[in-house]
Amino acid sequence: MPAVEAWAIEPLWVQFEALLPPHLETHPWGCHNPRIPDRIMFDKLVAKLVFGGSYEKHADQSCSATTMRTRRNEWIAAGVFAGLEQIVLETYDRVVGLDLADITVDGQITKAPCGGEVAGKSPVDRGKLGIKWSRMTDGRGIPLGCVVTGANRHDSPLLRPTLEKLGRFELALPEQITVHLDAGYDSTVTRKLLTDLGCEWRIQPKGVVIPINHTRRWVVERTNSWYSRGFNFTLSCTERRAVVINALLALMTAIIVIRRLIREAWTSQRWDTRPDRRP
């Protein structure tokens, strides 16, 4: 069973491969073991994100866990993951169009049993270590950026660094942006921040029950489910370094966006590898 459908992972791999830095053989005698193909490493990383588990669980005769970590670090240093995420988002904007006039931000907490640089005591899991993802989406639920921090951090202070992720779309930002938030952001500090940034807001008042399907915030909840139901990595994150977590998060975002791009472009675009049915 493939970790990700072929119609989604193949175009993603083509772009990923184009971003890989050239590798030069430096051994003077050429007698060392041949380099494991990058495609094998890429498939292993995707499988780890989807199915979860440690690198040792995904190691086999084709590659070792150490090789997986080494190749992953090489790609992080070369900026491959961040570059892939940016290209996929820009492609979606050209083909379908991002709805940047309505922005939604929300937090999501996951377990971090191994601790690490961004782990903190979770208030919803008896004080066990966890990670909070402060995620921002456009009006259709396309993930635009995410800030990773400890689970003990409140959502409100994370709003500014999360909204700063919009800087990647500086040339495409509309004149007026409306930010949709839940009751956790209902404070004078949040309203002052949004005013300083020139944004309008729709914040659910504290103590008032409003069905989420009566607001524009439901899209971010759906996006959170795309991460939690599609990638076991977000249910229990065993990585300890923030740079690795952010890199793998960028890869997950690229997979989600390419899926949405193919689904929404299926009725209006034609290409050689187009699926027979709408995904």
Side-chain angles (χ1 to χ4, degrees):
M1 176 181 175
V4 177
E5 306 88 346
W7 52 262
I9 203 64
E10 290 303 326
L12 199 65
W13 162 248
V14 172
Q15 182 58 66
F16 189 89
E17 186 180 27
L19 295 172
L20 294 178
H23 175 72
L24 301 177
E25 297 290 347
T26 57
H27 197 281
W29 300 103
C31 57
H32 59 295
N33 293 330
R35 179 180 172 87
I36 298 175
D38 291 326
R39 180 57 194 269
I40 293 179
M41 296 292 104
F42 178 77
D43 289 340
K44 291 289 186 182
L45 282 180
V46 172
K48 172 179 169 54
L49 294 179
V50 174
F51 301 121
S54 64
Y55 291 96
E56 285 73 13
K57 292 290 185 180
H58 295 276
D60 53 22
Q61 67 276 7
S62 63
C63 68
S64 66
T66 300
T67 304
M68 292 171 62
R69 295 189 186 94
T70 301
R71 195 73 56 88
R72 175 206 66 193
N73 293 339
E74 291 178 5
W75 294 345
I76 292 174
V80 177
F81 295 101
L84 178 69
E85 180 188 24
Q86 183 68 21
I87 289 174
V88 171
L89 285 171
E90 291 175 353
T91 303
Y92 183 94
D93 191 26
R94 288 197 304 269
V95 177
V96 180
L98 292 169
D99 182 6
L100 299 178
D102 289 285
I103 300 298
T104 308
V105 179
D106 194 20
Q108 181 184 20
I109 294 179
T110 187
K111 297 178 183 294
C114 298
E117 298 174 352
V118 293
K121 293 184 177 181
S122 174
V124 297
D125 193 20
R126 296 170 294 172
K128 295 182 179 179
L129 292 178
I131 293 174
K132 173 168 285 188
W133 319 78
S134 178
R135 183 167 292 116
M136 174 176 57
T137 71
D138 78 337
R140 297 187 182 93
I142 300 300
L144 304 177
C146 185
V147 173
V148 183
T149 186
N152 56 335
R153 294 288 303 279
H154 194 271
D155 289 342
S156 185
L158 303 177
L159 182 58
R160 177 184 286 275
T162 303
L163 291 176
E164 288 175 352
K165 297 289 183 178
L166 286 174
R168 62 171 60 177
F169 310 107
E170 183 176 359
L171 300 179
L173 291 178
E175 294 183 359
Q176 188 60 56
I177 298 177
T178 302
V179 182
H180 301 266
L181 304 168
D182 62 18
Y185 299 89
D186 186 14
S187 67
T188 304
V189 175
T190 298
R191 292 183 177 86
K192 184 179 184 303
L193 169 63
L194 295 175
T195 302
D196 294 341
L197 296 176
C199 299
E200 295 185 358
W201 62 82
R202 298 290 185 273
I203 303 177
Q204 178 177 337
K206 292 181 180 179
V208 178
V209 179
I210 301 177
I212 193 170
N213 59 337
H214 292 184
T215 68
R216 299 292 300 270
R217 293 186 298 103
W218 69 270
V219 294
V220 72
E221 300 293 347
R222 182 185 62 175
T223 304
N224 287 339
S225 72
W226 288 343
Y227 283 93
S228 59
R229 294 179 66 87
F231 303 95
N232 283 339
F233 176 82
T234 59
L235 295 179
S236 181
C237 179
T238 56
E239 298 289 351
R240 296 178 55 85
R241 297 168 55 204
V243 64
V244 175
I245 295 175
N246 287 319
L248 298 182
L249 174 62
L251 180 55
M252 289 187 290
T253 300
I255 294 174
I256 288 174
V257 176
I258 198 80
R259 279 172 168 165
R260 298 304 302 176
L261 172 60
I262 294 175
R263 175 177 174 81
E264 297 184 30
W266 190 88
T267 56
S268 61
Q269 308 291 329
R270 296 292 183 272
W271 62 94
D272 294 338
T273 57
R274 177 174 176 265
D276 295 334
R277 297 182 178 181
R278 187 178 183 184

